[in-house]
Amino acid sequence: MKILAIESSCDETAAAVVENGRTILSSVVATQIAEHQLYGGVVPEIASRRHCEAINGVVRETLSQAALTFREVDALAVTYAPGLIGALLVGVNFAKGLSMATGLPLIPVHHLRSHIAANYLAHQDLQPPFLCLVVSGGHSHIVEVTDYTEMKIIGKTRDDAAGEAFDKAARTMGMPYPGGIHLDKAAQNGNDHAFSLPHPKVDGCPYDFSFSGLKTAVINLIHNASQKGESLPVNDLSASFRKAVVDSLTDNFFRAAENLGHTKLVLAGGVSANSLLRERTLQECEKRHWQCYYPPLNLCGDNGAMVGAQAYYEYLAGHTASADLNARAAMSIE
Ligand code: KG4
Ligand code: ZN
């Protein structure tokens, strides 16, 4: 089954054709990052406008790279939640129009479910059940994936998402948006013991996260230094911050896995590109003789292929949309 999938939840206009949830036939991503960088973060109104301009060309290019016409595609899929509402609406309305014009069924896909499904494209052997750490710019969840479309949230952030914390700390250090990747690179040349930062815990909720105190601690260190006319060693601060975030993520993730009896662990979302998070998760899994999966770097960020992968399993579960499908800014993964 060939699915043409569309993604427009944030700042990438993307589409892909995916066969049977596992094979990418083509994938096109048009990123808006350069424009949002001018403002230090995503400007929702600009994002919506750029999606409108790009979507037609991205979908055409995707079909052309797969050497397919609409007649040779079996279904359409689109990210409908969660995300920036104006951005999501562009993809949803475009996909609804295509579905009406072609008569193809339309499959609505949850954005975080599709981040998890990025792993199915890279790891043909991966099947639920498993425990997944989903870490993106907007969410940080520990999710028990009992089946392809059955999920339970075990823990989540009480305030900032991990990616958001990385981006805000990086921005204060003068790095361009999105700062996570730049902070990760700087950290590779830094001493992670140089600064003592809080390792936040949420009382009584051993699987929940809190990153806003950590982010504020870094911002205060930088501001206090600049008021004294000093500047802090960015590599050391990056390394100390990255260690604190990754400690918190992996401590809770492994605690949840041990307590719930999971031995197959999966990373997903933009922050799963973080080099320390990947290394640490792999090491800890190897120590315990557990299975460890994460997406290749090109599938960690937003893309259409992961939407096509999850859409296949949503379709098998009977989840298709009618013409009244609407976008939703917030929606649980469960
Ligand atoms: O999943 P994603 O592409 O978009 C959302 O759904 O939010 O995640 C984007 C987030 C950004 O916050 C970005 O800075 C972060 O993923 N990110 C990283 C790295 N690469 C991307 N954070 C830390 N280390 C990285 N190497
Ligand atoms: Zn995402």
Side-chain angles (χ1 to χ4, degrees):
M1 177 179 193
K2 295 186 186 72
I3 298 178
L4 170 63
I6 295 171
E7 151 66 34
S8 72
S9 67
C10 189
D11 56 358
E12 335 274 357
T13 319
V17 181
V18 175
E19 189 160 26
N20 298 335
R22 296 279 176 166
T23 307
I24 303 174
L25 301 185
S26 65
S27 178
V28 176
V29 180
T31 182
Q32 309 173 355
I33 283 178
E35 191 165 2
H36 297 294
Q37 259 173 3
L38 300 172
Y39 306 93
V42 177
V43 182
E45 177 63 18
I46 293 177
S48 313
R49 285 168 188 255
R50 295 297 167 261
H51 286 308
C52 287
E53 289 161 9
I55 196 160
N56 197 23
V58 166
V59 169
R60 274 177 192 278
E61 179 63 20
T62 303
L63 279 176
S64 141
Q65 284 189 12
L68 293 171
T69 64
F70 282 115
R71 284 204 186 84
E72 294 159 305
V73 167
D74 302 296
L76 304 167
V78 68
T79 309
Y80 76 116
L84 299 171
I85 189 66
L88 287 165
L89 278 167
V90 176
V92 166
N93 284 315
F94 191 87
K96 285 205 294 190
L98 273 186
S99 172
M100 279 175 213
T102 58
L104 291 169
L106 177 59
I107 308 159
V109 179
H110 187 285
H111 184 60
L112 298 181
R113 287 188 177 200
S114 68
H115 270 302
I116 296 173
N119 284 283
Y120 303 141
L121 296 164
H123 310 293
Q124 300 293 319
D125 62 318
L126 177 63
Q127 291 175 2
F130 53 79
L131 194 68
C132 187
L133 177 68
V134 192
V135 272
S136 70
H139 298 84
S140 299
H141 287 347
I142 296 173
V143 180
E144 198 167 42
V145 182
T146 48
D147 207 340
Y148 290 102
T149 59
E150 301 288 321
M151 330 230 159
K152 186 172 171 212
I153 298 175
I154 303 300
K156 58 177 186 292
T157 182
R158 294 301 185 95
D159 39 57
D160 292 353
E164 192 182 351
F166 269 116
D167 292 346
K168 286 182 180 162
R171 182 175 166 171
T172 319
M173 290 185 227
M175 297 170 186
Y177 172 84
I181 187 169
H182 302 287
L183 193 150
D184 189 14
K185 283 201 180 123
Q188 279 156 23
N189 301 311
N191 169 9
D192 60 10
H193 292 294
F195 293 91
S196 135
L197 295 170
H199 280 52
K201 292 194 167 46
V202 180
D203 282 345
C205 298
Y207 311 134
D208 280 359
F209 307 107
S210 167
F211 295 115
S212 77
L214 180 58
K215 172 198 70 187
T216 308
V218 167
I219 293 172
N220 287 346
L221 276 174
I222 295 169
H223 286 167
N224 290 344
S226 84
Q227 276 167 3
K228 290 186 218 148
E230 298 165 359
S231 63
L232 297 175
V234 165
N235 292 352
D236 290 348
L237 191 53
S238 296
S240 305
F241 179 81
R242 182 179 71 163
K243 179 179 185 306
V245 174
V246 171
D247 281 349
S248 169
L249 290 172
T250 51
D251 284 356
N252 291 10
F253 191 30
F254 281 87
R255 185 180 301 123
E258 267 157 16
N259 292 347
L260 298 168
H262 283 280
T263 59
K264 198 191 289 180
L265 268 57
V266 177
L267 300 177
V271 181
S272 66
N274 187 268
S275 55
L276 182 65
L277 178 61
R278 294 161 85 89
E279 185 188 304
R280 180 86 66 76
T281 307
L282 186 60
Q283 273 172 2
E284 292 293 324
C285 281
E286 279 175 353
K287 232 196 276 174
R288 295 167 173 81
H289 304 290
W290 290 358
Q291 288 173 275
C292 175
Y293 298 87
Y294 41 72
L297 291 176
N298 66 327
L299 293 176
C300 289
D302 295 342
N303 63 84
M306 65 186 195
V307 182
Q310 181 61 23
Y312 176 69
Y313 296 102
E314 299 289 347
Y315 184 81
L316 294 183
H319 302 161
T320 52
S322 51
D324 61 0
L325 176 69
N326 204 354
R328 300 261 302 271
M331 177 179 275
S332 171
I333 193 173
E334 289 181 345

